[in-house]
């Protein structure tokens, strides 16, 4: 049995060496830059989703009630933002959780303690990316409301002339 175990280990090791021969691990890629790009792209998607939800909802509100003042439009946009920001943050959380689920199972399988996992760079990176995206979405709510208010009121003034 010991010979078979050693043989299987050597066979696996040789296969790994052969596999690594075909893959070049010296790629000269800065992983920090890749991580920053991934965070920015995921944040951009969440921000676009939030902004689109607010502006399309405000457009419908203004179509049905065209005599609204700019202040009412802005406050309606903020109210819409309050309504959707909870689901947006939940979506970000579950996207992070789904992205890291396999990693968490692997860390549990190799018997890492909860203390090691909570102090790991991987957990901090995921939580910070989620928080960055959530803060960006929170800041999108007033900006999208103000932009929609200004754009739709300008359009209204052009139609009156």
């Amino acid at each position: 049995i010991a010979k078979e175990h050693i043989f299987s280990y050597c066979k696996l090791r040789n296969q790994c060496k052969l596999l690594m021969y075909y893959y070049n691990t010296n790629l000269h890629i800065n992983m920090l830059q890749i991580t920053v790009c991934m965070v920015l792209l995921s944040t951009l998607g969440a921000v676009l989703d939030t902004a689109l939800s607010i502006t399309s909802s405000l457009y419908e509100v203004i179509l049905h009630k065209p005599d609204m003042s700019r202040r009412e439009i802005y406050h309606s946009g903020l109210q819409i933002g309050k309504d959707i920001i909870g689901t947006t943050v939940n979506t970000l959380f579950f996207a992070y959780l789904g992205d890291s689920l396999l990693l968490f199972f692997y860390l549990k399988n190799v018997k890492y303690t909860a203390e090691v996992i909570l102090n790991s760079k991987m957990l901090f990176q995921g939580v910070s990316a989620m928080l960055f995206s959530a803060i960006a979405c929170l800041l999108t709510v007033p900006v999208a409301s103000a932009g929609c208010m200004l754009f739709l009121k300008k359009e209204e003034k052009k139609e009156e002339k």
Side-chain angles (χ1 to χ4, degrees):
I1 295 175
K3 286 182 182 180
E4 291 175 4
H5 182 66
I6 292 171
F7 178 74
S8 66
Y9 173 73
C10 292
K11 184 178 178 183
L12 180 65
R13 193 169 158 192
N14 287 335
Q15 286 177 348
C16 288
K17 283 182 183 178
L18 184 64
L19 186 64
M20 292 307 291
Y21 177 77
Y22 291 108
Y23 293 110
N24 186 3
T25 58
N26 192 13
L27 299 175
H28 304 291
I29 294 176
N30 186 348
M31 291 308 288
L32 178 63
Q33 292 175 348
I34 297 293
T35 303
V36 168
C37 287
M38 287 172 47
V39 169
L40 289 176
L41 285 174
S42 65
T43 300
L44 183 62
V47 165
L48 285 174
D49 184 47
T50 303
L52 184 65
S53 297
I54 292 171
T55 53
S56 64
S57 299
L58 270 178
Y59 184 73
E60 284 295 318
V61 167
I62 293 171
L63 277 180
H64 293 292
K65 192 176 176 190
D67 58 335
M68 289 178 72
S69 68
R70 285 183 175 209
R71 183 181 177 105
E72 291 173 329
I73 292 172
Y74 182 74
H75 286 294
S76 293
L78 291 181
Q79 188 60 44
I80 292 167
K82 285 178 190 176
D83 291 341
I84 66 166
I85 203 69
T87 58
T88 302
V89 172
N90 280 342
T91 302
L92 291 170
F93 172 73
F94 285 116
Y96 163 69
L97 188 65
D99 187 39
S100 302
L101 198 59
L102 185 62
L103 178 65
F104 288 139
F105 283 134
Y106 173 74
L107 293 176
K108 184 182 181 292
N109 198 19
V110 268
K111 307 281 191 261
Y112 280 119
T113 64
E115 181 181 327
V116 171
I117 294 172
L118 288 175
N119 288 321
S120 69
K121 288 181 183 180
M122 296 172 289
L123 183 67
F124 176 75
Q125 178 184 347
V127 170
S128 62
M130 186 191 75
L131 287 175
F132 180 74
S133 297
I135 291 169
C137 288
L138 283 172
L139 294 175
T140 301
V141 171
V143 172
S145 298
C148 193
M149 171 193 72
L150 293 173
F151 178 73
L152 291 175
K153 277 300 179 177
K154 280 184 181 179
E155 196 175 273
E156 223 175 71
K157 287 180 182 178
K158 287 179 186 178
E159 289 176 6
E160 289 176 3
K161 290 181 183 181

